[in-house]
Amino acid sequence: YYPGETLKGVVEVQSKGSMVHQGITMNVEGSVVLQMSAKSVGLFEAFYSSLKPVNLFVFNAEIQGATKLPDGTTELPFEFKLDPVDGHKLHETYHGVYVNIQY
């Protein structure tokens, strides 16, 4: 997927017997995280303690309000546009020695 594209899917809920719920929400985040490794001890300690994960993408939505689900399988469709948080751009998923970018 690329920035600006729409991601679509289905949440599948399987239940034995009917089920009452207070609502079903979806929370999706993408962030950059600086991580320590055994090789970096001392090198990044000063920076690491002051840096927090940077959110590149955030999507929160209720995909179904409070209701009763029937016995069996229920499919709940969702879709959202991949737009970055203001001031940031989306990067490819990356897992490196010092940095992780994941969605």
Side-chain angles (χ1 to χ4, degrees):
Y1 296 96
Y2 295 96
E5 289 187 336
T6 299
L7 187 118
K8 297 178 184 182
V10 175
V11 173
E12 187 176 281
V13 180
Q14 296 179 3
S15 60
K16 293 182 179 178
S18 61
M19 179 177 69
V20 176
H21 63 85
Q22 298 299 315
I24 298 173
T25 60
M26 174 177 279
N27 303 306
V28 182
E29 295 182 355
S31 62
V32 175
V33 179
L34 179 65
Q35 63 185 20
M36 299 292 285
S37 76
K39 295 177 183 178
S40 66
V41 173
L43 181 61
F44 285 115
E45 286 176 337
F47 297 113
Y48 183 77
S49 62
S50 65
L51 293 176
K52 304 213 181 307
V54 175
N55 283 333
L56 302 176
F57 175 80
V58 177
F59 171 78
N60 300 304
E62 182 176 71
I63 56 176
Q64 186 173 61
T67 189
K68 184 177 184 178
L69 296 176
D71 179 37
T73 302
T74 302
E75 292 186 346
L76 306 170
F78 66 87
E79 72 176 60
F80 56 89
K81 191 171 181 184
L82 291 174
D83 286 328
V85 172
D86 288 341
H88 295 287
K89 71 178 204 170
L90 299 180
H91 302 277
E92 291 183 25
T93 297
Y94 174 78
H95 298 285
V97 177
Y98 303 115
V99 175
N100 272 343
I101 301 173
Q102 58 190 21
Y103 298 91

